[in-house]
Amino acid sequence: MSAKISTIAFDADDTLWENEQFFRITQERFCELLADYTHADHLAERLLAAERRNLGGYGFGIKGFVLSMIETAIEVTDERVPAKVIKELIEAGQDMLSHPIHLLEGVEETVRALAADHEIIMVTKGDLLDQERKLAQSGLGDLFDAVEIVSAKTPPVYADIFDRHGVTPERAVMVGNSMKSDVLPPIEVGAWGIYIPHSITWAIEHAEAPEGHPRYKHLEALADLPAFVGAISR
């Protein structure tokens, strides 16, 4: 018999609302702007390398993405990138930072249903101001008992969050679309890791699924979560 689930933690980007598709759209524009200097596949590889390299300094989010695009543009053009291109990249980032929120299907109904009987926590990476903006625009803010905006999602970070909120990990569920950030670390500290795939996932967030682990579950849709939580709490 499983311990009754008391706390459900949700990732935000591409779990509650659309996010990665806007990065992809901006990256396509980035490739168009630099098409005279290198082909799109090579440019994408260079940009991903820059993002990996800069995570420790810039963290996750739009601002770091824009800085990595500018850095890559300077590199691939041998420092000859036109100021007009830099200007367009900055404007693209500004557009991303002001883009309206698009909740994914079934999100509000699911979170509202679970909030009736569980503590609900948002655990998300990214820029503080941007994530606060998105939460405010989402209309979901009143449903969360706590919001944790973190620089990384590691086992110690999850352990600290559960400890500060008085949650026994065995009674907690973490839900998200990133195997690397939302599933594997919570499982490592004793919680459930629930994977709900999104059509687009950033390459840096890919990892092997812990198939066969007793606290791992793959659900096809967020709407399936209440029934699953109910089943493992019996």
Side-chain angles (χ1 to χ4, degrees), residues 58-191:
Y58 300 159
F60 294 85
I62 293 170
K63 295 173 185 176
F65 176 60
V66 171
L67 287 171
S68 291
M69 285 195 296
I70 292 172
E71 179 181 316
T72 303
I74 292 170
E75 290 175 351
V76 301
T77 63
D78 294 323
E79 301 184 358
R80 292 180 289 112
V81 58
K84 183 177 185 297
V85 171
I86 301 296
K87 180 175 182 290
E88 288 203 39
L89 293 177
I90 292 172
E91 289 174 346
Q94 291 171 337
D95 288 343
M96 292 175 71
L97 286 168
S98 61
H99 201 283
I101 290 303
H102 296 297
L103 290 181
L104 293 170
E105 185 177 356
V107 164
E108 182 174 359
E109 299 87 343
T110 299
V111 176
R112 191 173 297 281
L114 290 167
D117 299 306
H118 302 83
E119 178 185 29
I120 305 295
I121 301 175
M122 177 183 291
V123 182
T124 184
K125 293 185 294 191
D127 179 78
L128 176 63
L129 293 178
D130 188 38
Q131 295 295 58
E132 288 180 338
R133 173 190 68 85
K134 289 190 282 191
L135 178 58
Q137 289 186 6
S138 73
L140 301 175
D142 291 344
L143 299 177
F144 287 91
D145 297 291
V147 175
E148 299 279 351
I149 300 173
V150 299
S151 59
K153 290 178 174 178
T154 62
V157 168
Y158 280 106
D160 177 65
I161 290 172
F162 294 146
D163 182 62
R164 284 189 288 104
H165 292 283
V167 181
T168 302
E170 289 75 13
R171 299 185 64 193
V173 165
M174 177 64 196
V175 184
N177 71 298
S178 169
M179 196 68 68
K180 180 179 179 181
S181 295
D182 303 322
V183 175
L184 299 179
I187 287 176
E188 188 169 330
V189 300

Side-chain angles (χ1 to χ4, degrees), residues 181-202:
S181 295
D182 303 322
V183 175
L184 299 179
I187 287 176
E188 188 169 330
V189 300
W192 282 86
I194 310 301
Y195 176 65
I196 300 179
H198 186 269
S199 58
I200 307 173
T201 301
W202 190 25

